[in-house]
Amino acid sequence: QVQLVESGGGLVQAGGSLRLSCAASGRSFSMYTMGWYRQAPGKERDLVARMMSTGNTAYADSVKGRFTISRDNAKNTVYLQMNSLKPEDTAVYYCYARTLLDTFWGQGTQVTVSS
């Protein structure tokens, strides 16, 4: 079982920045694929970014060049640096951890970008 605790969401003006953090339990954090999804009201949950244990990353086209995912294996934490935020980035952001056997989710953190 992996527990995930997100932080760093909030309200920001368009063009601003936020950094989300996700702290994970578990002894094998460095082996997990970690990432972020987001879900806006009335829409599906979509992948934002993910980082494999190898360091390989992937991003949604809509956030490329603006968002950066990183991880600190010593702190069992994954981050999502979000720059040049747009109103369309408004959503609940969910951290996830994918192990060999299962996928675990955080509780979500709200990000609201005002125009």
Side-chain angles (χ1 to χ4, degrees):
Q1 189 79 3
V2 177
Q3 294 182 326
L4 303 170
V5 179
E6 298 132 330
S7 60
L11 174 63
V12 64
Q13 288 187 334
S17 298
L18 283 174
R19 188 176 81 155
L20 305 183
S21 300
C22 175
S25 64
R27 299 179 181 179
S28 302
F29 176 83
S30 63
M31 300 179 65
Y32 304 159
T33 291
M34 300 296 299
W36 297 87
Y37 274 69
R38 68 185 180 187
Q39 187 167 22
K43 295 188 177 181
E44 295 184 350
R45 190 176 295 190
D46 293 324
L47 178 69
V48 176
R50 65 109 173 101
M51 177 178 275
M52 299 178 68
S53 59
T54 57
N56 180 272
T57 59
Y59 295 90
D61 287 343
S62 59
V63 307
K64 284 181 181 177
R66 300 188 297 122
F67 290 13
T68 303
I69 189 170
S70 61
R71 64 193 295 164
D72 185 337
N73 290 335
K75 295 182 178 180
N76 278 21
T77 301
V78 64
Y79 305 96
L80 184 67
Q81 179 67 43
M82 306 185 293
N83 298 329
S84 302
L85 283 161
K86 304 176 181 180
E88 51 263 44
D89 294 318
T90 295
V92 177
Y93 284 70
Y94 296 92
C95 172
Y96 77 94
R98 182 165 296 140
T99 71
L100 290 176
L101 300 177
D102 211 338
T103 300
F104 301 90
W105 294 90
Q107 79 283 0
T109 185
Q110 176 71 46
V111 172
T112 303
V113 184
S114 63
S115 57

